[in-house]
Amino acid sequence: SALLSLTDTQRDKHSKNRKKMAEANSYAALTKAFSGLGVDENLFISTLGKWNRHQRESYRVSTPGFFREDERQFQRWDDQHILQLRQEFLRLKDAVVLYTMHPWERDARLFKEALLLQVPKHDVLIEIACTRSSEDLLGARKAYHSLFEHSIEEDIAFHIRTPERKLLVALVSSYRYEGPRVSDDLAKSEAKIFVNAIKNANKKKLIDEDEEIVRILSTRSKLHLKAIYSHYKEITGNFLDEDLEGDLTMKQVVQCLCVPKAYFSKILIASLRLDVDESAKDSVTRVIVTRADDDDMKQIKEEFQSKYGTTLAAKIAEVANGSYKDFLLTIIAKSD
């Protein structure tokens, strides 16, 4: 009834405003589909498939993040986004394949993929080496022998030439005691070793190269290391990983060994954004699929909600799309 009292000019203006709003909503939805984790095929059919060439050009002009003006005066896709979209269609398949693999094979293949990159991904090596049980890490090493006819230790030594090599080889070689016994006095003494090592660290001798630090991190039980973590806080007033801010590899090792739920929550929140690169998006698949059957998935979800004020499920639903989203939500719901 309100529209009946409007003049023709007002009605035309009202109609144009509604059209612009609908267009803006369509742009936002399509941008999310292009940006997010997984491609929503239905959205491409229902929205993009119905646009005429003028509407498509309008979208390109309105989305400089994906398109750039070519010297021949047309809006061309950014090359990186073309690669991204081609890979997006495979993301669900990648998640399903990883999920159905035997855990030892999965970890062995993740080890190998991390090492074959132009810049090896230390974080993947650290996650597996520091958060698996002794038996599962040993199983992954056996699977690696079977699949690639090398040991993971020799491949790390070959592919990684930086000072972190000694620490990473020691971590994947570890077979830790997993019982309840912890010597509190020894833990306190070794916490002081960390205090001194961090205090005296300089460019000539990095913490990664400190033999005592490498020995402690690669041989002590996780309960013992958590006791060291607590004593370090008592002595210095800071958490150990906070004081390792300048050494990312060592910081990730300490977090994976002592506070894994905080580490994985941080990886997920950093990866569940629309503007992240392909490597970060792969982290979502890796973390959720590899933690799905562990008790720590529930802890990760609790930590995520406590730290970021939203549930992991809600964040995935906000950013991811299509069957990939449904698959991830189904996986993480198992730990409820």
Side-chain angles (χ1 to χ4, degrees):
S1 58
L3 283 178
L4 293 176
S5 62
L6 297 176
T7 65
D8 289 344
T9 301
Q10 287 174 320
R11 278 197 292 271
D12 288 343
K13 186 176 180 180
H14 187 79
S15 177
K16 287 179 181 178
N17 286 339
R18 283 195 304 175
K19 186 177 179 181
K20 285 183 178 179
M21 186 174 295
E23 186 176 66
N25 289 339
S26 295
Y27 286 179
L30 193 61
T31 299
K32 178 184 174 183
F34 282 144
S35 306
L37 301 163
V39 172
D40 188 336
E41 292 91 341
N42 291 331
L43 184 63
F44 282 92
I45 294 168
S46 63
T47 302
L48 188 59
K50 295 179 181 179
W51 280 356
N52 61 39
R53 65 186 185 88
H54 300 296
Q55 289 171 307
R56 295 196 300 273
E57 179 170 357
S58 178
Y59 176 74
R60 289 193 297 269
V61 171
S62 303
T63 319
F66 294 149
F67 301 90
R68 61 183 178 84
E69 187 79 9
D70 190 84
E71 62 270 20
R72 294 176 181 82
Q73 297 183 324
F74 66 94
Q75 302 82 29
R76 60 171 290 180
W77 266 107
D78 178 81
D79 291 341
Q80 185 59 41
H81 282 291
I82 292 176
L83 292 174
Q84 173 187 325
L85 283 174
R86 287 173 177 166
Q87 292 170 342
E88 289 287 359
F89 285 101
L90 300 176
R91 197 172 301 284
L92 175 63
K93 185 182 78 173
D94 290 344
V96 171
V97 168
L98 279 177
Y99 192 64
T100 54
M101 270 185 191
H102 189 289
W104 295 355
E105 178 187 5
R106 180 187 62 212
D107 286 347
R109 291 190 181 279
L110 287 171
F111 270 142
K112 189 68 170 179
E113 290 168 10
L115 286 172
L116 290 180
L117 295 171
Q118 187 172 4
V119 179
K121 287 181 67 65
H122 294 182
D123 55 344
V124 176
L125 306 177
I126 291 165
E127 285 174 20
I128 298 171
C130 295
T131 64
R132 290 296 181 220
S133 70
S134 294
E135 281 298 314
D136 282 338
L137 179 56
L138 179 60
R141 289 163 63 197
K142 290 178 178 178
Y144 197 96
H145 292 179
S146 234
L147 292 165
F148 308 116
E149 298 183 342
H150 287 273
S151 72
I152 178 63
E153 293 90 340
E154 66 180 303
D155 277 0
I156 287 176
F158 177 77
H159 288 286
I160 296 178
R161 304 300 176 89
T162 54
E164 298 91 346
R165 175 168 62 180
K166 181 185 292 186
L167 174 62
L168 293 172
V169 169
L171 289 171
V172 299
S173 305
S174 181
Y175 193 89
R176 302 175 191 275
Y177 165 70
E178 294 182 337
R181 187 174 179 179
V182 174
S183 169
D184 196 60
D185 289 340
L186 181 57
K188 186 178 293 186
S189 172
E190 291 183 337
K192 292 176 182 176
I193 292 175
F194 275 91
V195 173
N196 292 330
I198 291 172
K199 186 185 298 183
N200 298 323
N202 54 52
K203 293 182 180 178
K204 292 183 179 179
K205 185 175 183 180
L206 301 172
I207 300 173
D208 308 76
E209 299 174 286
D210 189 304
E211 291 185 4
E212 280 293 272
I213 296 297
V214 172
R215 175 188 64 80
I216 293 167
L217 289 174
S218 62
T219 64
R220 295 302 187 196
S221 75
K222 292 174 186 175
L223 283 180
H224 183 94
L225 290 167
K226 288 175 181 177
I228 291 175
Y229 190 83
S230 296
H231 284 301
Y232 186 94
K233 178 71 161 66
E234 292 170 3
I235 296 167
T236 66
N238 297 327
F239 290 110
L240 177 53
D241 48 323
E242 290 176 336
D243 284 349
L244 292 167
E245 197 62 48
D247 190 330
L248 180 59
T249 295
M250 186 65 73
K251 180 176 182 175
Q252 289 174 335
V253 168
V254 168
Q255 289 181 333
C256 283
L257 288 167
C258 301
V259 285
K261 63 181 182 180
Y263 169 84
F264 286 117
S265 294
K266 186 175 180 180
I267 293 292
L268 287 168
I269 195 66
S271 303
L272 288 167
R273 301 198 322 263
L274 295 178
D275 59 346
V276 296
D277 60 21
E278 281 305 306
S279 177
K281 290 179 182 180
D282 289 341
S283 297
V284 176
T285 302
R286 185 183 74 250
V287 170
I288 291 178
V289 169
T290 62
R291 302 294 127 190
D293 297 316
D294 294 342
D295 293 336
D296 60 357
M297 176 52 77
K298 184 175 182 180
Q299 296 177 8
I300 290 169
K301 293 197 309 187
E302 291 171 352
E303 175 77 8
F304 190 96
Q305 183 168 2
S306 171
K307 199 163 187 178
Y308 304 113
T310 186
T311 64
L312 178 57
K315 191 64 180 177
I316 290 170
E318 174 189 333
V319 176
N321 290 300
S323 300
Y324 176 71
K325 174 187 72 176
D326 295 339
F327 186 63
L328 294 186
L329 291 175
T330 300
I331 291 176
I332 67 169
K334 293 198 310 175
S335 61
D336 289 341

CSV table of all heavy atoms in Angstrom, one decimal, residues 150-202:
chain,number,residue,atom,x,y,z
A,150,HIS,N,62.9,-44.9,1.6
A,150,HIS,CA,63.9,-44.1,2.4
A,150,HIS,C,63.3,-44.0,3.8
A,150,HIS,O,62.2,-44.3,4.1
A,150,HIS,CB,63.9,-42.7,1.8
A,150,HIS,CG,64.6,-42.5,0.5
A,150,HIS,ND1,66.0,-42.4,0.4
A,150,HIS,CD2,64.1,-42.6,-0.8
A,150,HIS,CE1,66.3,-42.3,-0.9
A,150,HIS,NE2,65.2,-42.4,-1.6
A,151,SER,N,64.2,-43.5,4.7
A,151,SER,CA,63.7,-43.2,6.0
A,151,SER,C,63.3,-41.7,6.1
A,151,SER,O,63.9,-40.9,5.3
A,151,SER,CB,64.7,-43.5,7.1
A,151,SER,OG,65.8,-42.6,7.1
A,152,ILE,N,62.4,-41.4,6.9
A,152,ILE,CA,62.0,-40.0,7.0
A,152,ILE,C,63.2,-39.2,7.6
A,152,ILE,O,63.4,-38.0,7.2
A,152,ILE,CB,60.8,-39.8,8.0
A,152,ILE,CG1,60.4,-38.3,8.1
A,152,ILE,CG2,61.0,-40.4,9.3
A,152,ILE,CD1,60.0,-37.6,6.9
A,153,GLU,N,64.0,-39.8,8.4
A,153,GLU,CA,65.2,-39.1,9.0
A,153,GLU,C,66.2,-38.7,7.9
A,153,GLU,O,66.6,-37.6,7.9
A,153,GLU,CB,65.9,-40.0,10.0
A,153,GLU,CG,65.1,-40.3,11.3
A,153,GLU,CD,64.2,-41.6,11.2
A,153,GLU,OE1,63.9,-42.0,10.0
A,153,GLU,OE2,63.8,-42.1,12.2
A,154,GLU,N,66.5,-39.6,7.0
A,154,GLU,CA,67.4,-39.3,5.9
A,154,GLU,C,66.9,-38.3,5.0
A,154,GLU,O,67.6,-37.4,4.5
A,154,GLU,CB,67.9,-40.5,5.2
A,154,GLU,CG,66.9,-41.3,4.4
A,154,GLU,CD,67.5,-42.5,3.7
A,154,GLU,OE1,68.4,-42.3,2.9
A,154,GLU,OE2,66.9,-43.6,3.9
A,155,ASP,N,65.6,-38.3,4.7
A,155,ASP,CA,65.0,-37.3,3.8
A,155,ASP,C,64.9,-35.9,4.4
A,155,ASP,O,65.1,-34.9,3.7
A,155,ASP,CB,63.6,-37.8,3.4
A,155,ASP,CG,63.6,-38.8,2.2
A,155,ASP,OD1,64.7,-39.1,1.8
A,155,ASP,OD2,62.6,-39.2,1.8
A,156,ILE,N,64.7,-35.9,5.7
A,156,ILE,CA,64.7,-34.6,6.4
A,156,ILE,C,66.2,-34.0,6.4
A,156,ILE,O,66.4,-32.8,6.0
A,156,ILE,CB,64.3,-34.7,7.9
A,156,ILE,CG1,62.7,-34.9,7.9
A,156,ILE,CG2,64.6,-33.4,8.7
A,156,ILE,CD1,62.2,-35.1,9.3
A,157,ALA,N,67.1,-34.9,6.6
A,157,ALA,CA,68.5,-34.4,6.6
A,157,ALA,C,68.9,-34.0,5.2
A,157,ALA,O,69.8,-33.1,5.1
A,157,ALA,CB,69.4,-35.6,7.1
A,158,PHE,N,68.4,-34.6,4.2
A,158,PHE,CA,68.7,-34.2,2.8
A,158,PHE,C,68.0,-32.9,2.4
A,158,PHE,O,68.7,-32.1,1.8
A,158,PHE,CB,68.4,-35.4,1.9
A,158,PHE,CG,68.6,-35.0,0.4
A,158,PHE,CD1,69.9,-35.1,-0.1
A,158,PHE,CD2,67.6,-34.7,-0.4
A,158,PHE,CE1,70.2,-34.8,-1.4
A,158,PHE,CE2,67.8,-34.4,-1.8
A,158,PHE,CZ,69.1,-34.4,-2.3
A,159,HIS,N,66.7,-32.8,2.7
A,159,HIS,CA,66.0,-31.7,2.2
A,159,HIS,C,66.1,-30.4,3.0
A,159,HIS,O,65.9,-29.3,2.5
A,159,HIS,CB,64.5,-32.0,2.0
A,159,HIS,CG,64.2,-33.0,0.9
A,159,HIS,ND1,64.2,-32.6,-0.4
A,159,HIS,CD2,63.9,-34.3,0.9
A,159,HIS,CE1,63.9,-33.7,-1.2
A,159,HIS,NE2,63.7,-34.7,-0.4
A,160,ILE,N,66.4,-30.5,4.3
A,160,ILE,CA,66.5,-29.4,5.1
A,160,ILE,C,67.9,-29.1,5.5
A,160,ILE,O,68.6,-29.9,6.2
A,160,ILE,CB,65.6,-29.6,6.4
A,160,ILE,CG1,64.1,-29.7,6.0
A,160,ILE,CG2,65.8,-28.4,7.4
A,160,ILE,CD1,63.2,-29.9,7.1
A,161,ARG,N,68.4,-27.9,5.1
A,161,ARG,CA,69.8,-27.6,5.3
A,161,ARG,C,70.0,-26.5,6.3
A,161,ARG,O,71.1,-26.0,6.5
A,161,ARG,CB,70.4,-27.2,4.0
A,161,ARG,CG,70.3,-28.2,2.8
A,161,ARG,CD,71.0,-29.5,3.2
A,161,ARG,NE,70.8,-30.6,2.2
A,161,ARG,CZ,71.6,-30.8,1.2
A,161,ARG,NH1,72.6,-30.0,1.0
A,161,ARG,NH2,71.3,-31.8,0.3
A,162,THR,N,68.9,-26.0,6.9
A,162,THR,CA,69.0,-25.0,7.9
A,162,THR,C,69.3,-25.5,9.3
A,162,THR,O,69.2,-26.7,9.5
A,162,THR,CB,67.6,-24.2,7.9
A,162,THR,OG1,66.6,-25.2,8.1
A,162,THR,CG2,67.4,-23.5,6.6
A,163,PRO,N,69.6,-24.7,10.3
A,163,PRO,CA,69.9,-25.1,11.6
A,163,PRO,C,68.9,-26.0,12.3
A,163,PRO,O,69.2,-26.8,13.2
A,163,PRO,CB,70.1,-23.9,12.4
A,163,PRO,CG,70.5,-22.8,11.4
A,163,PRO,CD,69.7,-23.2,10.2
A,164,GLU,N,67.6,-25.9,11.9
A,164,GLU,CA,66.5,-26.7,12.5
A,164,GLU,C,66.6,-28.2,12.2
A,164,GLU,O,65.9,-29.0,12.8
A,164,GLU,CB,65.2,-26.2,12.0
A,164,GLU,CG,64.8,-24.8,12.4
A,164,GLU,CD,65.2,-23.8,11.3
A,164,GLU,OE1,66.0,-24.2,10.4
A,164,GLU,OE2,64.8,-22.6,11.4
A,165,ARG,N,67.5,-28.6,11.2
A,165,ARG,CA,67.6,-29.9,10.8
A,165,ARG,C,67.8,-30.9,12.0
A,165,ARG,O,67.1,-31.9,12.1
A,165,ARG,CB,68.7,-30.1,9.7
A,165,ARG,CG,68.9,-31.5,9.3
A,165,ARG,CD,69.8,-31.6,8.1
A,165,ARG,NE,71.1,-31.1,8.3
A,165,ARG,CZ,72.1,-31.1,7.4
A,165,ARG,NH1,71.8,-31.5,6.2
A,165,ARG,NH2,73.2,-30.6,7.6
A,166,LYS,N,68.8,-30.6,12.8
A,166,LYS,CA,69.1,-31.5,13.9
A,166,LYS,C,67.9,-31.7,14.8
A,166,LYS,O,67.6,-32.9,15.2
A,166,LYS,CB,70.2,-30.9,14.8
A,166,LYS,CG,70.7,-31.8,15.9
A,166,LYS,CD,71.7,-31.1,16.8
A,166,LYS,CE,73.0,-31.0,16.0
A,166,LYS,NZ,74.1,-30.4,16.9
A,167,LEU,N,67.2,-30.7,15.1
A,167,LEU,CA,66.0,-30.8,16.0
A,167,LEU,C,64.9,-31.6,15.3
A,167,LEU,O,64.3,-32.5,15.9
A,167,LEU,CB,65.5,-29.4,16.3
A,167,LEU,CG,64.1,-29.4,17.1
A,167,LEU,CD1,64.3,-30.0,18.5
A,167,LEU,CD2,63.7,-27.9,17.3
A,168,LEU,N,64.6,-31.4,14.0
A,168,LEU,CA,63.6,-32.1,13.3
A,168,LEU,C,63.9,-33.6,13.2
A,168,LEU,O,63.0,-34.4,13.4
A,168,LEU,CB,63.3,-31.4,12.0
A,168,LEU,CG,62.8,-30.0,12.0
A,168,LEU,CD1,62.8,-29.4,10.6
A,168,LEU,CD2,61.4,-30.0,12.6
A,169,VAL,N,65.1,-33.9,12.9
A,169,VAL,CA,65.5,-35.3,12.8
A,169,VAL,C,65.3,-36.0,14.2
A,169,VAL,O,64.8,-37.1,14.3
A,169,VAL,CB,67.0,-35.5,12.3
A,169,VAL,CG1,67.4,-36.9,12.5
A,169,VAL,CG2,67.1,-35.1,10.9
A,170,ALA,N,65.7,-35.3,15.2
A,170,ALA,CA,65.6,-35.9,16.6
A,170,ALA,C,64.1,-36.1,16.9
A,170,ALA,O,63.7,-37.1,17.6
A,170,ALA,CB,66.2,-35.0,17.6
A,171,LEU,N,63.2,-35.2,16.5
A,171,LEU,CA,61.8,-35.3,16.9
A,171,LEU,C,61.1,-36.4,16.2
A,171,LEU,O,60.4,-37.2,16.8
A,171,LEU,CB,61.1,-34.0,16.5
A,171,LEU,CG,61.4,-32.7,17.4
A,171,LEU,CD1,60.8,-31.5,16.8
A,171,LEU,CD2,60.9,-32.9,18.8
A,172,VAL,N,61.4,-36.6,14.9
A,172,VAL,CA,60.8,-37.7,14.2
A,172,VAL,C,61.3,-39.1,14.6
A,172,VAL,O,60.7,-40.1,14.4
A,172,VAL,CB,60.8,-37.6,12.7
A,172,VAL,CG1,60.2,-36.3,12.2
A,172,VAL,CG2,62.3,-37.6,12.2
A,173,SER,N,62.5,-39.1,15.2
A,173,SER,CA,63.2,-40.3,15.7
A,173,SER,C,62.7,-40.7,17.1
A,173,SER,O,63.1,-41.8,17.5
A,173,SER,CB,64.7,-40.2,15.7
A,173,SER,OG,65.2,-39.8,14.4
A,174,SER,N,62.0,-39.9,17.7
A,174,SER,CA,61.7,-40.0,19.1
A,174,SER,C,60.7,-41.2,19.4
A,174,SER,O,59.8,-41.5,18.6
A,174,SER,CB,61.0,-38.7,19.6
A,174,SER,OG,60.7,-38.8,21.0
A,175,TYR,N,60.9,-41.9,20.5
A,175,TYR,CA,60.0,-42.8,21.0
A,175,TYR,C,59.9,-42.6,22.5
A,175,TYR,O,60.6,-43.1,23.4
A,175,TYR,CB,60.5,-44.3,20.8
A,175,TYR,CG,59.4,-45.3,21.0
A,175,TYR,CD1,58.5,-45.7,20.0
A,175,TYR,CD2,59.2,-45.9,22.3
A,175,TYR,CE1,57.5,-46.6,20.2
A,175,TYR,CE2,58.2,-46.8,22.5
A,175,TYR,CZ,57.3,-47.2,21.4
A,175,TYR,OH,56.3,-48.1,21.7
A,176,ARG,N,58.9,-41.7,22.9
A,176,ARG,CA,58.8,-41.2,24.2
A,176,ARG,C,58.1,-42.2,25.2
A,176,ARG,O,57.2,-42.9,24.8
A,176,ARG,CB,58.0,-39.9,24.2
A,176,ARG,CG,58.6,-38.8,23.3
A,176,ARG,CD,57.6,-37.6,23.3
A,176,ARG,NE,58.0,-36.7,22.2
A,176,ARG,CZ,59.0,-35.8,22.4
A,176,ARG,NH1,59.6,-35.6,23.5
A,176,ARG,NH2,59.3,-35.0,21.4
A,177,TYR,N,58.5,-42.0,26.5
A,177,TYR,CA,57.8,-42.7,27.6
A,177,TYR,C,56.4,-42.0,27.7
A,177,TYR,O,56.3,-40.8,27.6
A,177,TYR,CB,58.6,-42.5,28.9
A,177,TYR,CG,57.9,-42.8,30.1
A,177,TYR,CD1,57.5,-44.1,30.4
A,177,TYR,CD2,57.5,-41.8,31.0
A,177,TYR,CE1,56.8,-44.4,31.6
A,177,TYR,CE2,56.8,-42.0,32.2
A,177,TYR,CZ,56.5,-43.3,32.5
A,177,TYR,OH,55.8,-43.6,33.6
A,178,GLU,N,55.4,-42.8,27.8
A,178,GLU,CA,54.0,-42.3,27.9
A,178,GLU,C,53.3,-42.6,29.2
A,178,GLU,O,52.1,-42.5,29.3
A,178,GLU,CB,53.2,-42.8,26.7
A,178,GLU,CG,53.8,-42.2,25.4
A,178,GLU,CD,53.0,-42.6,24.1
A,178,GLU,OE1,52.3,-43.7,24.2
A,178,GLU,OE2,53.1,-41.9,23.1
A,179,GLY,N,54.1,-43.0,30.2
A,179,GLY,CA,53.5,-43.3,31.5
A,179,GLY,C,53.3,-42.0,32.3
A,179,GLY,O,53.6,-40.9,31.9
A,180,PRO,N,52.8,-42.2,33.6
A,180,PRO,CA,52.4,-41.0,34.4
A,180,PRO,C,53.5,-40.5,35.2
A,180,PRO,O,53.4,-39.4,35.8
A,180,PRO,CB,51.3,-41.6,35.3
A,180,PRO,CG,51.7,-43.1,35.5
A,180,PRO,CD,52.3,-43.5,34.1
A,181,ARG,N,54.7,-41.1,35.3
A,181,ARG,CA,55.7,-40.7,36.2
A,181,ARG,C,56.5,-39.5,35.7
A,181,ARG,O,56.9,-39.4,34.5
A,181,ARG,CB,56.7,-41.9,36.4
A,181,ARG,CG,57.8,-41.6,37.4
A,181,ARG,CD,58.6,-42.8,37.7
A,181,ARG,NE,59.6,-42.6,38.7
A,181,ARG,CZ,60.5,-43.5,39.1
A,181,ARG,NH1,60.4,-44.7,38.6
A,181,ARG,NH2,61.4,-43.2,40.0
A,182,VAL,N,56.6,-38.5,36.5
A,182,VAL,CA,57.3,-37.2,36.2
A,182,VAL,C,58.2,-36.9,37.4
A,182,VAL,O,57.7,-36.9,38.6
A,182,VAL,CB,56.4,-36.1,35.9
A,182,VAL,CG1,57.1,-34.8,35.7
A,182,VAL,CG2,55.6,-36.4,34.6
A,183,SER,N,59.4,-36.5,37.2
A,183,SER,CA,60.3,-36.0,38.3
A,183,SER,C,60.2,-34.5,38.3
A,183,SER,O,60.6,-33.8,37.4
A,183,SER,CB,61.7,-36.4,38.1
A,183,SER,OG,62.6,-35.7,39.0
A,184,ASP,N,59.5,-34.0,39.4
A,184,ASP,CA,59.3,-32.5,39.4
A,184,ASP,C,60.6,-31.8,39.6
A,184,ASP,O,60.7,-30.7,39.0
A,184,ASP,CB,58.3,-32.2,40.6
A,184,ASP,CG,57.7,-30.8,40.5
A,184,ASP,OD1,57.0,-30.5,39.5
A,184,ASP,OD2,58.0,-30.0,41.4
A,185,ASP,N,61.5,-32.3,40.4
A,185,ASP,CA,62.8,-31.6,40.6
A,185,ASP,C,63.6,-31.5,39.2
A,185,ASP,O,64.2,-30.5,38.9
A,185,ASP,CB,63.6,-32.4,41.6
A,185,ASP,CG,63.1,-32.2,43.0
A,185,ASP,OD1,62.3,-31.2,43.2
A,185,ASP,OD2,63.4,-33.0,43.9
A,186,LEU,N,63.5,-32.6,38.5
A,186,LEU,CA,64.2,-32.6,37.2
A,186,LEU,C,63.6,-31.7,36.2
A,186,LEU,O,64.2,-31.0,35.5
A,186,LEU,CB,64.3,-34.1,36.6
A,186,LEU,CG,65.0,-34.2,35.3
A,186,LEU,CD1,66.4,-33.8,35.4
A,186,LEU,CD2,64.9,-35.7,34.8
A,187,ALA,N,62.2,-31.7,36.2
A,187,ALA,CA,61.5,-30.7,35.4
A,187,ALA,C,61.9,-29.3,35.7
A,187,ALA,O,62.1,-28.4,34.8
A,187,ALA,CB,60.0,-30.9,35.5
A,188,LYS,N,62.0,-29.0,37.0
A,188,LYS,CA,62.3,-27.6,37.4
A,188,LYS,C,63.8,-27.3,36.9
A,188,LYS,O,64.0,-26.2,36.5
A,188,LYS,CB,62.2,-27.5,38.9
A,188,LYS,CG,62.4,-26.0,39.4
A,188,LYS,CD,62.3,-25.9,40.9
A,188,LYS,CE,60.8,-26.2,41.3
A,188,LYS,NZ,60.7,-26.0,42.8
A,189,SER,N,64.7,-28.2,37.1
A,189,SER,CA,66.1,-28.1,36.7
A,189,SER,C,66.1,-27.8,35.2
A,189,SER,O,66.9,-26.9,34.7
A,189,SER,CB,66.9,-29.3,37.1
A,189,SER,OG,68.2,-29.2,36.5
A,190,GLU,N,65.4,-28.6,34.4
A,190,GLU,CA,65.4,-28.4,33.0
A,190,GLU,C,64.7,-27.2,32.5
A,190,GLU,O,65.0,-26.6,31.4
A,190,GLU,CB,64.9,-29.7,32.3
A,190,GLU,CG,65.8,-30.9,32.5
A,190,GLU,CD,65.4,-32.1,31.8
A,190,GLU,OE1,64.2,-32.3,31.5
A,190,GLU,OE2,66.3,-33.0,31.6
A,191,ALA,N,63.7,-26.7,33.3
A,191,ALA,CA,63.1,-25.4,32.9
A,191,ALA,C,64.2,-24.3,33.0
A,191,ALA,O,64.2,-23.3,32.2
A,191,ALA,CB,62.0,-25.1,33.9
A,192,LYS,N,65.1,-24.4,34.0
A,192,LYS,CA,66.2,-23.4,34.1
A,192,LYS,C,67.1,-23.5,32.9
A,192,LYS,O,67.7,-22.5,32.5
A,192,LYS,CB,66.9,-23.6,35.4
A,192,LYS,CG,66.1,-23.3,36.7
A,192,LYS,CD,66.8,-23.6,37.9
A,192,LYS,CE,66.0,-23.4,39.2
A,192,LYS,NZ,66.6,-23.8,40.4
A,193,ILE,N,67.3,-24.7,32.3
A,193,ILE,CA,68.1,-24.8,31.1
A,193,ILE,C,67.5,-24.0,30.0
A,193,ILE,O,68.2,-23.3,29.3
A,193,ILE,CB,68.3,-26.3,30.7
A,193,ILE,CG1,69.1,-27.0,31.8
A,193,ILE,CG2,68.9,-26.4,29.4
A,193,ILE,CD1,69.2,-28.5,31.5
A,194,PHE,N,66.2,-24.0,29.9
A,194,PHE,CA,65.5,-23.2,28.9
A,194,PHE,C,65.7,-21.7,29.2
A,194,PHE,O,65.9,-20.9,28.2
A,194,PHE,CB,64.0,-23.6,28.8
A,194,PHE,CG,63.7,-24.8,27.9
A,194,PHE,CD1,63.7,-26.0,28.5
A,194,PHE,CD2,63.5,-24.6,26.6
A,194,PHE,CE1,63.4,-27.1,27.7
A,194,PHE,CE2,63.2,-25.7,25.8
A,194,PHE,CZ,63.2,-27.0,26.3
A,195,VAL,N,65.5,-21.3,30.4
A,195,VAL,CA,65.7,-19.9,30.8
A,195,VAL,C,67.1,-19.4,30.4
A,195,VAL,O,67.2,-18.4,29.7
A,195,VAL,CB,65.5,-19.7,32.3
A,195,VAL,CG1,65.8,-18.3,32.7
A,195,VAL,CG2,64.1,-20.1,32.7
A,196,ASN,N,68.1,-20.2,30.7
A,196,ASN,CA,69.5,-19.8,30.3
A,196,ASN,C,69.7,-19.8,28.8
A,196,ASN,O,70.4,-18.9,28.3
A,196,ASN,CB,70.5,-20.7,31.0
A,196,ASN,CG,70.5,-20.5,32.5
A,196,ASN,OD1,70.2,-19.4,33.0
A,196,ASN,ND2,70.8,-21.5,33.3
A,197,ALA,N,69.2,-20.8,28.1
A,197,ALA,CA,69.4,-20.9,26.7
A,197,ALA,C,68.7,-19.7,26.0
A,197,ALA,O,69.3,-19.1,25.0
A,197,ALA,CB,68.8,-22.2,26.2
A,198,ILE,N,67.5,-19.3,26.4
A,198,ILE,CA,66.8,-18.2,25.8
A,198,ILE,C,67.5,-16.9,26.1
A,198,ILE,O,67.7,-16.0,25.2
A,198,ILE,CB,65.4,-18.2,26.2
A,198,ILE,CG1,64.6,-19.4,25.6
A,198,ILE,CG2,64.7,-16.9,25.8
A,198,ILE,CD1,63.2,-19.6,26.1
A,199,LYS,N,68.0,-16.8,27.3
A,199,LYS,CA,68.7,-15.5,27.8
A,199,LYS,C,70.0,-15.4,27.0
A,199,LYS,O,70.4,-14.2,26.6
A,199,LYS,CB,69.0,-15.6,29.3
A,199,LYS,CG,69.6,-14.3,29.8
A,199,LYS,CD,70.0,-14.5,31.3
A,199,LYS,CE,68.8,-14.9,32.1
A,199,LYS,NZ,69.1,-15.0,33.6
A,200,ASN,N,70.7,-16.5,26.7
A,200,ASN,CA,72.0,-16.4,26.1
A,200,ASN,C,72.0,-16.6,24.5
A,200,ASN,O,73.0,-16.6,23.9
A,200,ASN,CB,73.0,-17.4,26.7
A,200,ASN,CG,73.2,-17.2,28.2
A,200,ASN,OD1,73.2,-16.0,28.6
A,200,ASN,ND2,73.3,-18.2,28.9
A,201,ALA,N,70.8,-16.7,24.0
A,201,ALA,CA,70.7,-17.0,22.5
A,201,ALA,C,71.2,-15.8,21.8
A,201,ALA,O,70.9,-14.6,22.1
A,201,ALA,CB,69.3,-17.3,22.2
A,202,ASN,N,72.0,-16.0,20.7
A,202,ASN,CA,72.4,-15.0,19.9
A,202,ASN,C,72.6,-15.5,18.5
A,202,ASN,O,72.3,-16.7,18.2
A,202,ASN,CB,73.8,-14.4,20.4
A,202,ASN,CG,74.8,-15.5,20.6
A,202,ASN,OD1,75.1,-16.3,19.7
A,202,ASN,ND2,75.4,-15.5,21.7
